[in-house]
Every structure is written in structure tokens, then in C-alpha cells.
């Protein structure tokens, strides 16, 4: 970390901070997904049925939520790095108009009545 002459720490650019958040979310996702791989010794009855109904489904829901956070962090990073809404929309196979609605900036009149996609409305460290 570089320090300025005044003795403080130089701030990281938004894109660098966004990339760190993306890396963190990817790590969390990988850890959760990895935990689903081994089958515990006492997880199944001898006939192959589960001893704890709903446990695997609940874990899969946590993995899905982590994947959603990773996707959101990646979109924030791409925007902070200069990607426009056209590119992000193309990658996500979405129209860029609803994506722009998720932006924290003031919207032009043409975008006042749009509903942002749920995936991109969650507050992140860079949009709070």
C-alpha cells in the first residue's frame, strides 16, 4: 500500500476495490460449492434416503445466493472499470435499459418508470 507525503494511505480506485469484492464473492461461492461435494458418513440412511430432509436443498439455495452476489459484484466491477451498459446487457443477455435503472445515478425521464432487475438492485460497497 502506497502512503502519501502527508502520512495517510492512498485510496484504491473504485475499480480496484470492486475487483477485490468480486474476488471475495468468488471465494465465498467456491467454498460453499466445495462443501456440497463430499457425502457425509451419516448423511444417508442405508437405503439411500436422506437423514435430514431439505438440508441439501437449503445448501443449494445458499450456493445460488452466493452466485448471485458474485454476479452482482462482477457487474459493479465491470462498470467501475469502464464497461458500458450495452456491453453488460449483451453479456447478461438483457436489455441495457433495465440495467441502467439499477445505476445509483439520477435517471433521465425516459428511464423514470423502469424496474431494475432484482439481481442488480442490492447495495454493494460501491453503491451504498
Amino acid at each position: 500500500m502506497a502512503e502519501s507525503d502527508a502520512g495517510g494511505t492512498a485510496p484504491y480506485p473504485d475499480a480496484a476495490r470492486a475487483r477485490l469484492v468480486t474476488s471475495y464473492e468468488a471465494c465465498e461461492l467456491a467454498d460453499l460449492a466445495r462443501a456440497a461435494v463430499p457425502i457425509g458418513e451419516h448423511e444417508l440412511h442405508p437405503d439411500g434416503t436422506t437423514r435430514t430432509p431439505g438440508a441439501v436443498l437449503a445448501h443449494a439455495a445458499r450456493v445460488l445466493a452466493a452466485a448471485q452476489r458474485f454476479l452482482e459484484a462482477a457487474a459493479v466491477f465491470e462498470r467501475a472499470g469502464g464497461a458500458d451498459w450495452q456491453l453488460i446487457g449483451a453479456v447478461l443477455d438483457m436489455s441495457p435499459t433495465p440495467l441502467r435503472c439499477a445505476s445509483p445515478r439520477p435517471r433521465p425521464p425516459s428511464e423514470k418508470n423502469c424496474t431494475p432487475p432484482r439481481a442488480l438492485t442490492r447495495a454493494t460497497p460501491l453503491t451504498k
Side-chain angles (χ1 to χ4, degrees):
M1 201 180 291
E3 292 191 22
S4 69
D5 293 334
T9 303
Y12 288 102
D14 284 348
R17 290 185 297 133
R19 185 59 179 101
L20 287 171
V21 171
T22 304
S23 293
Y24 173 80
E25 294 298 349
C27 183
E28 289 291 307
L29 172 58
D31 287 348
L32 277 169
R34 190 177 309 108
V37 174
I39 300 171
E41 182 180 344
H42 302 291
E43 185 177 335
L44 302 174
H45 291 289
D47 67 357
T49 58
T50 183
R51 292 181 191 266
T52 53
V56 173
L57 183 59
H59 187 84
R62 288 190 298 274
V63 171
L64 185 58
Q68 188 66 46
R69 289 190 304 272
F70 176 52
L71 176 67
E72 292 167 0
V76 170
F77 165 68
E78 293 293 349
R79 280 295 292 154
D84 63 13
W85 289 119
Q86 291 292 112
L87 174 65
I88 292 172
V91 170
L92 296 177
D93 196 26
M94 296 176 70
S95 165
T97 299
L99 294 173
R100 282 193 301 267
C101 294
S103 175
R105 66 164 173 72
R107 294 185 196 98
S110 63
E111 296 177 12
K112 290 286 185 193
N113 296 322
C114 58
T115 303
R118 194 176 128 257
L120 298 176
T121 55
R122 189 172 129 309
T124 66
L126 295 176
T127 60
K128 286 182 181 173

